[in-house]
Structure formats: structure tokens, C-alpha cells
Amino acid sequence: MTDKPPSTTDVLIVGAGIAGASLAAALAPHRRVVMIETEDRPGVHATGRSAAFWHESYGGVGVQPLSAASFATLARPPADFSDRPFLAPRAALTIGRREEKAAVDAFTAEFAAKGVDVVRLTAADVAARVPGIHPDWTEAAYEGACSDIDVAALHVAYLRAAKRAGAGLVTRAPLIAASRRGGLWHARTGQGDMTAALIVNAAGAWADDVAAACGVAPVAIQPYRRTVLQVRLGVPVSAALPLVVHVGGQFYFKGESEGRVWLSPHDETPSDPCDAAPEEIDVALAIERLQSVVDWPVAAVERKWAGLRSFAPDRLPVFGADPREPAFVWCAGQGGFGIQTAPAISGLLAAQLGGPQPTDAIGAVDPEPYSPVRFA
């Protein structure tokens, strides 16, 4: 999909992961768009390392409106976008020990008030859904709508839609520097110089670096390393095991295939932007935390990887025009929820940049809480 870099465009999107690709797909029918990507191919970093689930409560009540509004596109995509859904049923349990009852109660009440389909379970319900769970894990909230996301298919669909609408993609093209002169951005990239009316910063962990390269003040986007591993168990655990998340943020795990699970210690280690790799101490911590919950012997660690989840200081995504430089547009800080919110964020941001206002559930979401104006 790599194109010859044009000399000029309306909108230059820096980054072709899920944030940049989804915005390009939404905006390219209405404006000339080019994506530039540092790597040999798009989606190498956070997009390609996602734990791959749609979980409405994930990210907190501030993120929930974006996740909820994105569900229809992911579950029932338009026929010209995909011939099959991107979601497969999973279900989720947010669990706690007996002494964490108040925390699970508060979680349930908070999200039920937002319209999330979440219900409290009894200890017997928990034991039935998670065979082998230790008896002190008695508290749980159940979300039936939680689903796995086919992230690769979704990313490819966005790239395909963007290309079909005329967007360009230039790989091995890091943004080196850009300055604004004569009403245009003059950008120097790894594949040559370009001019653009707008620059969109969809660079993930490198978002503040891109801002600095354009002479724009950063908003303190901080990358954090998150570790995930696939383990083979010594007991038969179903591939349909729900996503199990600790109410205190100490772990999550879910079924992967028969007798195998994906798990994470839910680590958040501050990191510089980089090609993240797992640390052995975090792999060991993940296994220790799993075995504190369930009586499942771990036979082998079959895969392990790490990715960077990048957050603004308030842990909400940041999208919209920079208050000091309106021709510089943010689309960053999407934490671990960038995949499941991509339809909403791209639709709302495209409407700000020349696309139509969404008329479905996405159009009902107020974008103001996510504007970079809050950091002015």
C-alpha cells in the first residue's frame, strides 16, 4: 500500500496505526489525505500488540461513551466496509476478593448508571464461570456484551477504505520536522518534503515528539509498557472463558484456545517511546497473580510480548485542534482502548476537519471532554 509521496496534500496524518488509519478512512472522501508511517508497515506497535477485546467499562466512565458508540460499527459494519463483523462474543467478569465487595459494588453501580449492561453475581455464579477459582474470590460483576475484536481485520479494513477513498500511505517516512509558513505546513519526512494545510498527530507513544518536531507544546502524553503472555495450562480450561479483570487493576486474563489463556499483570511501567519488549519480572508477576486467583498449573509460557499504552494526564483520549496552533490536530492518548473507540473518535474528529457530522450513536457523543483545549 506504500505510495510515492506527493508534494502537497490537505491533511497529513502522522502515524498509520488504528488512530491514523481510521481517521484517514473517515476523512479521505472529503479531503485530500496522506498518512506517513515511520515503520516498514503500519500497525507495528500498539495496534499490532493489542489484547484485542471490546469491553464497555474498560478505561473508565469517561471513555465509556466512545466505546458504546463504536459498538455498532464493530458488530455490524457497513457492507462496503466489511463483509463480516469484527466482534466475537466473550463476556467479562470484574472480580474481587471477599474484602473487595464494596469496590465491586461501586464499579457495578457506576457503570449501570451509565447504561452499561452490568449485573452483580453471587459467589456460586463466579465459581461456575471460572472453574478452579480460589474460594476467597467471591465478588464479581458480569458484562455479557464484552467481545473479542479482530484487530488485524479492522485495521486492514480501515486502510483499505482509506485507499479506496484516495488517501495515500507512505511508509519508512518519519516526520523529521515541520514549520508553518504562508498558511501551510512545510514538512520534512524520511521520504522527502511535503506541504499540508493540516497536520494530524496520530503517532501514539511518539505523539509529544511529533508535537515538538512541529514547534507545538506537548500535552504530556506518557507511554507505559504493558505485558501480555499466552500460557498453556496443565488443566483443561475452555477457550470461551470470559475476560476476567481484577477490580483493583492487578491483572486480567481470558481464554485463548482450549487449555490456553492470555494474561497480563496489568503493568504500567513508564517508558520512553520504543519498540517495547517484555521483562522477565513482569512475566513472572503475571503468572504469580494468575495463580493467586485460580488453581491452574502453568505448563509453559508459549508467547510473551509487550506494547506501549499512551495516556494524557487525565487518562482520556485527546483529539481535536491544538488551542495555540489550530492547524495542528491531536489524535492521541488512546491508552489501551484505542481499538474499541476507533469508530467514534475517527467519526467525531473527521467531522471537525471537513467530514460530515455522524448521525448515529457516534454523533450523539459530546467531543468536548476530549479536546486538547483542556490542557491549554
Side-chain angles (χ1 to χ4, degrees):
M1 283 189 63
T2 299
D3 300 314
K4 180 179 178 181
S7 60
T8 188
T9 189
D10 289 340
V11 181
L12 179 63
I13 299 177
V14 183
I18 199 71
S22 59
L23 179 62
L27 192 56
H30 314 285
R31 300 194 69 171
R32 290 182 301 158
V33 174
V34 172
M35 292 175 281
I36 57 172
E37 167 59 48
T38 296
E39 305 296 345
D40 292 343
R41 65 187 190 279
V44 168
H45 295 290
T47 299
R49 305 178 194 194
S50 168
F53 51 74
W54 182 94
H55 184 201
E56 189 172 358
S57 61
Y58 197 69
V61 293
V63 175
Q64 181 271 338
L66 298 168
S67 300
S70 298
F71 182 82
T73 299
L74 298 172
R76 299 177 296 278
D80 60 350
F81 183 57
S82 175
D83 59 1
R84 60 187 179 87
F86 300 105
L87 300 184
R90 166 68 60 180
L93 296 174
T94 297
I95 69 169
R97 289 187 171 94
R98 191 171 287 105
E99 61 269 24
E100 294 173 305
K101 177 181 185 301
V104 178
D105 286 344
F107 170 90
T108 307
E110 182 178 43
F111 284 100
K114 295 282 289 183
V116 177
D117 185 10
V118 55
V119 296
R120 273 301 245 124
L121 297 183
T122 67
D125 292 330
V126 178
R129 285 173 168 82
V130 187
I133 194 165
H134 294 315
D136 54 331
W137 293 90
T138 58
E139 310 304 315
Y142 176 80
E143 293 173 70
C146 178
S147 303
D148 292 337
I149 302 178
D150 189 337
V151 177
L154 179 64
H155 190 212
V156 167
Y158 277 128
L159 290 169
R160 184 172 57 236
K163 182 176 183 180
R164 188 167 59 239
L169 170 62
V170 185
T171 57
R172 298 183 296 279
L175 179 71
I176 298 167
S179 59
R180 193 155 172 79
R181 305 189 304 273
L184 291 173
W185 286 104
H186 295 258
R188 184 156 49 95
T189 82
Q191 295 283 3
D193 294 347
M194 297 178 61
T195 61
L198 298 176
I199 287 179
V200 176
N201 182 1
W206 287 263
D208 274 0
D209 291 348
V210 166
C214 296
V216 173
V219 297
I221 301 288
Q222 173 63 56
Y224 296 90
R225 188 178 70 243
R226 169 61 54 86
T227 306
V228 184
L229 46 154
Q230 177 177 305
V231 298
R232 177 166 51 81
L233 303 168
V235 292
V237 173
S238 171
L241 179 79
L243 171 67
V244 180
V245 182
H246 180 224
V247 70
Q250 293 293 300
F251 58 79
Y252 65 74
F253 57 89
K254 68 173 185 174
E256 167 56 18
S257 58
E258 293 302 316
R260 290 170 171 83
V261 297
W262 279 12
L263 68 145
S264 171
H266 219 259
D267 48 328
E268 287 192 354
T269 305
S271 173
D272 291 331
C274 66
D275 186 5
E279 299 283 347
E280 288 305 318
I281 189 170
D282 295 321
V283 172
L285 184 62
I287 294 172
E288 178 186 357
R289 290 181 177 176
L290 175 71
Q291 295 185 322
S292 74
V293 180
V294 289
D295 185 18
W296 300 341
V298 172
V301 176
E302 296 185 324
R303 295 174 57 203
K304 54 187 176 182
W305 66 98
L308 296 182
R309 298 153 31 96
S310 302
F311 291 96
D314 60 4
R315 302 181 76 86
L316 293 180
V318 184
F319 59 91
D322 187 89
R324 297 184 181 91
E325 177 47 84
F328 184 88
V329 179
W330 292 86
C331 186
Q334 297 180 6
F337 39 79
I339 309 294
Q340 70 177 46
T341 59
I345 291 177
S346 60
L348 292 168
L349 184 53
Q352 298 175 28
L353 304 181
Q357 179 65 30
T359 57
D360 54 7
I362 293 172
V365 176
D366 179 8
E368 188 62 27
Y370 314 108
S371 169
V373 171
R374 68 191 193 268
F375 302 115

